[in-house]
Amino acid sequence: ALAALAAGGDPRAADLARLAAESPWPARRAAAATAAARLGDRDLLAALAADSASVVRLAALAGLLDGGGGEEAPVTARQALADADPGVRAAALEWLIAHPVAPVEELFAALAVEGARRFVELRWNAAAALGARAAAEPLERGQAVRMLERLAADRHYAVRLEAAERLAALGRPRPAAGPAVAGRGVAYYRQLLERSRGPREVELETRRGTLRLRLDCPRAPLTCVNFLQLAGQGFYDGLTLHRVIPDFVVQGGDPRGDGWGGPGYTLRDEPGARRFERGVLGMARAAPHTAGSQFFITLSPQPHLDGRYTAFGRVVDGDEALDRLLPGDRILALREVPLG
């Protein structure tokens, strides 16, 4: 509501945003950052960029960098590379891929702070940003190449693949990405195929209503079985729908609540022929082969997602509840139910 008041130019919005910025709840302070961005209140955004909660700092950073960010954006992004939170650093690196203004040593230093090893998106963004900087600044190309060669030996297949692509784009020999080591034996995949022979259904309960989702297990077995396992463990219960964009998607499944969290592992993509029409269930990811627990439901046809993201189900009941969902609504429960 606060963001909508700001977007609509309501005269109360500025005072309400500053009031929300003093709230003890991080979600409200993050909403204040979103409103401040729409109001063009750079002072409030700068104050919230130093907030103790990472979700608030991320919202403030997004506001400060939105639309290119203006003259101060390069300094803002470079400062964020030293943030204690890996999600904030990953967001800064993402901006620096399209705006390669940070020196190579600063880009690589973002990987040295705590949390980089378990944050695949951070290392993937670093590889992409290093490649972009090397292309834009020839004097730093040799140093960037050496760092990309290190990332080409990363433990995660997606990072190795991106580093190899960036090296090849710079005219260097393309390292072999190697196999995507799964750590699973033949018995696991036999069991997975048994569990994904036919469709399965889950119910996603919220205070706005309940959605019934039919999972297309034969087309996306890895994704569906993973989703069912997490649901069976109660992983999703209590998590927020942190992203609700009208006429686009509803997204949830992030234990951090800011779009940068996951279950601690990643999945291979399983793109298929299903189109992202309204009500289709897909896996969110920051880079190829980095999906984990975050999912989204499309609110309208999204052809630009077709063939790029894993579509693994659709809404079969609860369409009205889907339209009532708001950012911050919680998943009260997500459980498998008998096939209807």
Side-chain angles (χ1 to χ4, degrees), residues 226-227 229-239 252-256 261-265 292-294 331 334-335:
N226 174 71
F227 189 73
Q229 287 176 335
L230 290 174
Q233 296 163 9
F235 178 91
Y236 292 111
D237 299 355
L239 299 187
D254 176 12
R256 284 171 52 102
Y265 58 83
S293 59
Q294 291 192 49
I331 299 171
L334 201 164
R335 293 286 185 273

Side-chain angles (χ1 to χ4, degrees), residues 66-82:
D66 184 45
E71 295 180 358
E72 300 174 355
V75 174
T76 300
R78 290 172 65 180
Q79 289 175 341
L81 290 176

Side-chain angles (χ1 to χ4, degrees), residues 63-302:
L64 289 167
L65 299 179
D66 184 45
E71 295 180 358
E72 300 174 355
V75 174
T76 300
R78 290 172 65 180
Q79 289 175 341
L81 290 176
D83 194 276
D85 184 74
V88 176
R89 300 199 304 277
L93 285 167
E94 187 174 49
W95 187 86
L96 289 165
I97 297 170
H99 308 84
V101 295
V104 164
E105 54 269 19
E106 291 183 15
L107 298 174
F108 203 69
L111 298 176
V113 191
E114 184 180 357
R117 181 171 174 78
R118 59 182 173 81
F119 236 78
V120 176
E121 297 89 348
L122 176 66
R123 304 197 304 280
W124 192 97
N125 284 354
L130 283 166
R133 178 64 176 178
E137 182 50 73
L139 294 178
E140 296 182 19
R141 188 165 299 175
Q143 187 180 7
V145 165
R146 290 192 295 274
M147 293 176 178
L148 283 168
E149 287 172 344
R150 291 175 61 179
L151 287 170
D154 191 87
R155 65 190 181 92
H156 197 284
Y157 176 75
V159 179
R160 298 198 304 271
L161 192 63
E162 179 62 18
E165 292 286 345
R166 295 288 176 169
L167 285 167
L170 294 171
R172 305 295 296 179
R174 182 195 297 269
V181 179
R184 306 282 191 178
V186 173
Y188 170 82
Y189 289 100
R190 285 177 176 161
Q191 183 184 32
L192 183 143
L193 289 173
E194 286 293 330
R195 297 183 63 188
S196 59
R197 285 186 181 276
R200 312 266 285 272
E201 289 187 359
V202 298
E203 285 189 348
L204 192 161
E205 181 185 351
T206 76
R207 70 188 186 98
R208 312 285 176 185
T210 298
L211 305 177
R212 192 176 184 96
L213 308 170
R214 179 166 296 170
L215 308 185
D216 193 355
C217 297
R219 291 191 181 187
L222 286 170
T223 303
C224 289
V225 169
N226 174 71
F227 189 73
L228 290 165
Q229 287 176 335
L230 290 174
Q233 296 163 9
F235 178 91
Y236 292 111
D237 299 355
L239 299 187
T240 61
L241 297 169
H242 63 274
R243 190 179 186 216
V244 180
I245 302 178
D247 204 35
F248 183 34
V249 298
V250 170
Q251 185 170 325
D254 176 12
R256 284 171 52 102
D258 57 19
W260 289 99
Y265 58 83
T266 57
L267 301 173
R268 295 198 300 272
D269 295 339
E270 295 180 290
R274 180 189 288 274
R275 295 186 179 276
F276 278 97
E277 301 168 340
R278 174 179 165 83
V280 170
L281 178 66
M283 288 300 289
R285 58 171 174 76
H289 310 297
T290 60
S293 59
Q294 291 192 49
F295 63 90
F296 62 86
I297 303 171
T298 49
L299 297 174
S300 63
Q302 301 298 326

